Amino acid sequence: FDVPVIKAQVNEYRLYSGRCTGCGKPHRAVLPAGVPSGQIGPRALALVGVLGTKYHLTQQKTRNLLAQLLGVNFSVGAISQAHGKVAQALKVPVAQAAASLVNASVLHMDETHYPREGSANWVWGVVQPNLVVYSVLPSRARYVIHNLIGHSPKAVVVSDRYAGYAHIDPGQRQVCWAHLLRDFNRIAQRAGQPGRIGHRLLGLGYVLFRWRDQGKTTAAQFEPLQRRLRQALQAGAAQLVCKRTANTCANLLKLWPALWGFITHAGVQPTNNAAEQALRTIVLKRKISGPTRSRRGDEFIARGFSAFETCRRQGRDLFDYLHGAVIAWIDKTAPPSLMPAVIPSG
């Protein structure tokens, strides 16, 4: 096996212009269909988009790779502009995907810090099995959650215990049990009565996952575990040795229905692993590329990774999708959708 010598295809377009000698109106030729303004064509734009998302390359490394493999020498600024064009091509399909979140049945949500130079931004991830939407926003306050999924979402929301989700009815939530195990482990490290209660809670958490692995799914099957867990939380809330332990246990008692959403709602998992795993690729990009420097960079991160993660989950080729989206943006036609295909019944 070997790789042939690759050379970029270079096309020059000369657009003639003039002014009518009769009426004085100016005229200028137009580019052919599928040809963008600027020096980077649609397939090259799609390639830059893939390298910046799926392969986590920085703008400088993307420039260097294109120079070495294709013999084309773009500036880092040209690569940045290409990111902006890819983001514009994805504006409509990502907006359509974001609009569908209010009608979803189950949503996993999480956020991670992703700064822009001079400001603190957050990347929010909203996850369905075959659709992921990222948003880069300047806050992690409650109004952001309202903007993403609406004031009264239809979905069961799976998340951690962050207070921003407190407006959602506990009966319509699932608190992540992986996070709860970490909370219980912290309590178990404390001395005296709080530590003993923490060990009890941690053991009951492990029992929950073991029972799930054994195929237990109904409220009746989990009733003995619920009874023991409630007693442990009540003991933790009542003890006076450690205020932090008491506050954590009291908070969980208030959220009690949200601990058991995986029993009462179909298709709900007891952990928020789906959102945490979806944000992992964003964290890798942040560690490799560092902060963004402009709104254009924020849009590329949000929309580019929405397309990448969604295509990955749907088994679609990211390069083909981005190429189609760029062509549609250039020609001002309807872009390919990111929405999962609906399989006809029967």
Side-chain angles (χ1 to χ4, degrees), residues 161-345:
R161 289 194 299 121
Y162 171 47
Y165 301 100
H167 67 285
I168 302 174
D169 186 280
Q172 201 177 338
R173 292 181 61 187
Q174 171 62 58
V175 172
C176 176
W177 270 92
H179 283 79
L180 292 182
L181 289 184
R182 293 177 221 168
D183 292 336
F184 296 159
N185 186 59
R186 279 193 292 269
I187 297 174
Q189 304 306 311
R190 296 166 186 163
Q193 184 184 13
R196 291 191 293 273
I197 293 173
H199 281 290
R200 175 65 170 167
L201 292 171
L202 190 60
L204 293 173
Y206 288 139
V207 169
L208 180 144
F209 283 103
R210 185 166 68 246
W211 285 11
R212 282 277 297 180
D213 291 340
Q214 293 172 354
K216 295 184 179 182
T217 58
T218 67
Q221 291 172 319
F222 276 91
E223 192 277 331
L225 180 63
Q226 290 176 316
R227 184 176 62 254
R228 284 179 280 171
L229 185 71
R230 183 183 285 275
Q231 291 172 350
L233 290 175
Q234 289 172 338
Q239 57 80 36
L240 302 177
V241 178
C242 177
K243 186 176 180 180
R244 286 186 299 170
T245 298
N247 289 340
T248 299
C249 293
N251 177 257
L252 290 176
L253 288 170
K254 291 179 181 179
L255 291 173
W256 183 256
L259 273 59
W260 311 101
F262 69 94
I263 298 175
T264 56
H265 299 280
V268 175
Q269 296 296 318
T271 70
N272 199 26
N273 289 348
E276 297 230 349
Q277 291 165 0
L279 283 179
R280 187 174 301 159
T281 187
I282 295 288
V283 173
L284 288 174
K285 178 66 175 176
R286 182 189 68 206
K287 290 183 176 180
I288 293 170
S289 297
T292 60
R293 294 177 175 84
S294 64
R295 182 178 178 181
R296 179 169 66 194
D298 295 344
E299 291 176 345
F300 175 73
I301 292 296
R303 298 171 189 171
F305 277 92
S306 294
F308 160 52
E309 188 64 22
T310 296
C311 285
R312 186 186 70 81
R313 289 167 180 256
Q314 295 179 9
R316 300 164 71 177
D317 184 84
L318 178 62
F319 179 85
D320 288 344
Y321 177 81
L322 290 182
H323 183 238
V326 168
I327 290 291
W329 173 68
I330 293 169
D331 294 341
K332 295 181 173 56
T333 58
S337 176
L338 282 172
M339 298 299 295
V342 178
I343 301 176
S345 59

Side-chain angles (χ1 to χ4, degrees), residues 14-304:
R14 298 184 179 184
L15 304 182
Y16 293 95
S17 61
R19 185 177 298 273
C20 177
T21 57
C23 67
K25 182 178 180 181
H27 294 272
R28 186 175 185 272
V30 297
L31 287 166
V35 178
S37 60
Q39 60 180 329
I40 303 181
R43 293 181 66 83
L45 286 172
L47 178 59
V48 169
V50 172
L51 294 176
T53 54
K54 183 177 181 178
Y55 297 105
H56 299 98
L57 292 193
T58 64
Q59 293 175 358
Q60 185 171 4
K61 287 184 177 180
T62 298
R63 181 200 64 179
N64 295 344
L65 182 65
L66 294 179
Q68 182 176 4
L69 292 184
L70 304 180
V72 292
N73 292 296
F74 299 125
S75 66
V76 173
I79 301 300
S80 176
Q81 291 177 357
H83 283 179
K85 292 180 179 181
V86 172
Q88 287 301 308
L90 295 173
K91 180 178 180 179
V92 172
V94 172
Q96 180 190 24
S100 72
L101 298 177
V102 296
N103 295 316
S105 58
V106 179
L107 292 174
H108 292 255
M109 295 188 66
D110 202 359
E111 75 287 335
T112 187
H113 189 228
Y114 203 121
R116 185 201 296 181
E117 284 189 351
S119 63
N121 281 347
W122 298 82
V123 173
W124 287 79
V126 187
V127 180
Q128 298 183 62
N130 294 313
L131 184 69
V132 179
V133 176
Y134 298 103
S135 301
V136 179
L137 298 165
S139 173
R140 64 192 294 256
R142 182 177 300 181
Y143 77 86
V144 172
I145 301 173
H146 292 163
N147 291 340
L148 293 174
I149 63 174
H151 288 266
S152 301
K154 298 179 181 179
V156 176
V157 178
V158 186
S159 69
D160 53 25
R161 289 194 299 121
Y162 171 47
Y165 301 100
H167 67 285
I168 302 174
D169 186 280
Q172 201 177 338
R173 292 181 61 187
Q174 171 62 58
V175 172
C176 176
W177 270 92
H179 283 79
L180 292 182
L181 289 184
R182 293 177 221 168
D183 292 336
F184 296 159
N185 186 59
R186 279 193 292 269
I187 297 174
Q189 304 306 311
R190 296 166 186 163
Q193 184 184 13
R196 291 191 293 273
I197 293 173
H199 281 290
R200 175 65 170 167
L201 292 171
L202 190 60
L204 293 173
Y206 288 139
V207 169
L208 180 144
F209 283 103
R210 185 166 68 246
W211 285 11
R212 282 277 297 180
D213 291 340
Q214 293 172 354
K216 295 184 179 182
T217 58
T218 67
Q221 291 172 319
F222 276 91
E223 192 277 331
L225 180 63
Q226 290 176 316
R227 184 176 62 254
R228 284 179 280 171
L229 185 71
R230 183 183 285 275
Q231 291 172 350
L233 290 175
Q234 289 172 338
Q239 57 80 36
L240 302 177
V241 178
C242 177
K243 186 176 180 180
R244 286 186 299 170
T245 298
N247 289 340
T248 299
C249 293
N251 177 257
L252 290 176
L253 288 170
K254 291 179 181 179
L255 291 173
W256 183 256
L259 273 59
W260 311 101
F262 69 94
I263 298 175
T264 56
H265 299 280
V268 175
Q269 296 296 318
T271 70
N272 199 26
N273 289 348
E276 297 230 349
Q277 291 165 0
L279 283 179
R280 187 174 301 159
T281 187
I282 295 288
V283 173
L284 288 174
K285 178 66 175 176
R286 182 189 68 206
K287 290 183 176 180
I288 293 170
S289 297
T292 60
R293 294 177 175 84
S294 64
R295 182 178 178 181
R296 179 169 66 194
D298 295 344
E299 291 176 345
F300 175 73
I301 292 296
R303 298 171 189 171

